[in-house]
Amino acid sequence: VPKEDKVCIEDIALEKDPVGFFEKRVRELQPDIVGFTAYSTQSAIVKDLAKRAKAIVPGILTVAGGIHATIIPADYAGSPMDLVVRGEGGTSFGALVRRYKKGEPLVNGGAVLDVADPGFAEQASAKPPLFPAVEDIPRPRRDLVNRKKYFSVWTSPDKDNRLETMFPNIATIRTSTGCAYTCAFCVVHHMMSGKYLQRTPEDVVDEIANLQEEYIYFVDDETFLNAKRLTDIANLLKERGIRKKFVSWARADTIVRHPELFKLWKEVGLHIVYVGLEAMDEERLKDYKKRTSVETNKKAVQILRDTGILLHASLMVDPGFSVEDFRRLEKVIIDLIPSEVSFTVFSPSPGTELWHQHKNDFIIDSYLYYDCMHTVLPTKLDRK
């Protein structure tokens, strides 16, 4: 947003009364534009907030962005939302503000859609626009948020490295956007149209160096996909004497292909790796289009163990699970002995091919309950 303009970021999910807090801030600020970012689970909430904003400040411009707006913009048809920004908002929104101030038409190209446009439905059915070059995407404005409110659970890596708290203050950083894989349950390759954007090692390390937090969470969709780039980032951290504690996601096959990369990252502070093992069953891995194997999963777990990096095992529960399947899952956990474990429920991502295939099967609102913790599909066992 142009430097002369006042911009506020309000993370209302952190408030005890999010709606009341939102209304209070809109009254105080009397903004010209209010933008909302939303996952599919939040699309109904932001439509309601847009309505409330218009009641408080008549004439306010309401804008929706984020994953849901990118994948299913048509969901905002007939809502109090004026515009929908698809794809990368960091570039589109700044341009939108400039046009607004000049009194120019707000819709310019395929990234910004006018909900009131008679052709909105047709435009919304088009593929998401291509993302801009990674160099053009603005860096996060961390100065606009209360960073003391952000924490993550953190398992102590060894007996000699006790934590002062299990919930340290944490910063998130994204070194890349997108992924080269096409897992059946994932929305990323649809949102990015298959594109994989990577920041330069120098740019990433500069950002890490300027972070006040000691704990850092890489929120890339697959941080270690480009082994050379991540080797360069680690070596730059070493050269510049930057010591942080890192947590990241990584695919099992990436770990197996590049064990030396994870040894290097252990040296520069990588403590925990989240691995989407999903299953220790060949048929399920094939169904999920994971492009890994049980043997690869086992090797990855062993490499992390040998390297001294803690494993957070992410496993998937299928709606078709029987009692025996749950028992097998229990055995998997006992065999793996992960430091941390989490379970997601297999759910088609809204707007994807799999989601359209199951559109007549949903047993509950497939937007509101798409959080990978509820099943949106019929279950073999009774739901309880």
Side-chain angles (χ1 to χ4, degrees), residues 28-233:
E28 291 170 353
L29 295 166
Q30 294 288 305
D32 297 302
I33 304 173
V34 59
F36 303 94
T37 185
Y39 292 109
S40 294
T41 49
Q42 301 158 331
S43 64
I45 298 168
V46 298
K47 286 182 223 176
D48 176 64
L49 293 176
K51 181 179 178 181
R52 291 170 186 271
K54 285 184 177 291
I56 297 167
V57 183
I60 193 172
L61 183 71
T62 55
V63 185
I67 291 176
H68 190 74
T70 298
I71 299 294
I72 317 176
D75 183 47
Y76 289 102
S79 77
M81 211 65 75
D82 296 314
L83 301 176
V84 173
V85 174
R86 303 185 75 192
E88 175 52 53
T91 46
S92 302
F93 191 71
L96 189 158
V97 171
R98 290 178 181 90
R99 291 196 294 271
Y100 176 91
K101 288 165 69 177
K102 292 177 182 176
E104 296 175 352
L106 298 177
V107 175
N108 184 15
V112 181
L113 306 183
D114 183 345
V115 176
D117 188 326
F120 174 71
E122 185 180 349
Q123 295 165 22
S125 65
K127 282 187 176 181
L130 289 177
F131 271 62
V134 70
E135 299 80 17
D136 296 335
I137 300 171
R139 298 296 163 249
R141 287 288 304 276
R142 290 186 175 87
D143 57 302
L144 295 177
V145 295
N146 182 353
R147 290 158 72 168
K148 292 180 180 178
K149 289 192 173 185
Y150 296 91
F151 302 87
S152 179
V153 66
W154 199 281
T155 302
S156 184
D158 52 55
K159 293 176 183 176
D160 301 322
N161 194 354
R162 294 292 180 190
L163 297 171
E164 291 180 13
T165 171
M166 273 190 70
F167 303 97
N169 202 210
I170 196 163
T172 56
I173 182 171
R174 182 177 281 281
T175 82
S176 63
T177 308
C179 180
Y181 289 84
T182 55
C183 298
F185 52 82
C186 187
V187 74
V188 169
H189 53 284
H190 295 274
M191 183 178 71
M192 296 291 298
S193 299
K195 206 169 183 182
Y196 180 48
L197 304 177
Q198 303 172 69
R199 293 169 57 189
T200 65
E202 293 77 14
D203 186 31
V204 172
V205 174
D206 283 345
E207 185 175 351
I208 292 173
N210 288 315
L211 291 174
Q212 62 195 33
E213 293 84 356
E214 183 185 358
Y215 294 82
I216 296 174
Y217 188 159
F218 288 117
V219 292
D220 301 50
D221 299 299
E222 218 298 27
T223 313
F224 293 92
L225 209 54
N226 183 337
K228 183 184 183 308
R229 188 178 74 99
L230 267 293
T231 300
D232 291 344
I233 291 171

Side-chain angles (χ1 to χ4, degrees), residues 240-367:
R240 294 177 59 175
I242 299 168
R243 292 297 301 174
K244 302 282 187 181
K245 295 181 175 72
F246 301 102
V247 57
S248 181
W249 284 84
R251 282 179 57 93
D253 51 358
T254 303
I255 296 168
V256 170
R257 278 198 302 270
H258 305 289
E260 72 292 340
L261 176 61
F262 289 85
K263 288 176 186 173
L264 174 62
W265 267 91
K266 169 65 176 175
E267 291 175 32
V268 297
L270 181 61
H271 282 216
I272 307 168
V273 170
Y274 284 59
V275 185
L277 299 173
E278 315 309 353
M280 298 298 273
D281 176 292
E282 298 293 356
E283 280 304 309
R284 290 197 189 280
L285 290 172
K286 187 177 177 182
D287 288 346
Y288 298 153
K289 298 184 180 176
K290 189 70 186 177
R291 286 158 58 182
T292 57
S293 66
V294 171
E295 188 59 31
T296 298
N297 281 350
K298 287 180 179 177
K299 285 181 180 176
V301 170
Q302 191 59 50
I303 288 167
L304 292 180
R305 189 167 289 149
D306 293 344
T307 309
I309 296 172
L310 298 185
L311 167 68
H312 177 115
S314 180
L315 297 160
M316 196 172 282
V317 173
D318 195 280
F321 263 19
S322 63
V323 170
E324 291 73 28
D325 289 318
F326 277 106
R327 291 286 173 265
R328 279 193 286 271
L329 182 62
E330 186 177 34
K331 186 176 184 304
V332 165
I333 299 157
I334 292 167
D335 291 342
L336 288 176
I337 323 173
S339 297
E340 301 172 0
V341 64
S342 57
F343 307 94
T344 53
V345 180
F346 178 77
S347 308
S349 297
T352 61
E353 183 182 337
L354 207 58
W355 186 81
H356 287 294
Q357 284 176 17
H358 286 284
K359 66 183 179 182
N360 297 320
D361 303 330
F362 297 126
I363 58 173
I364 202 162
D365 188 323
S366 62
Y367 294 164

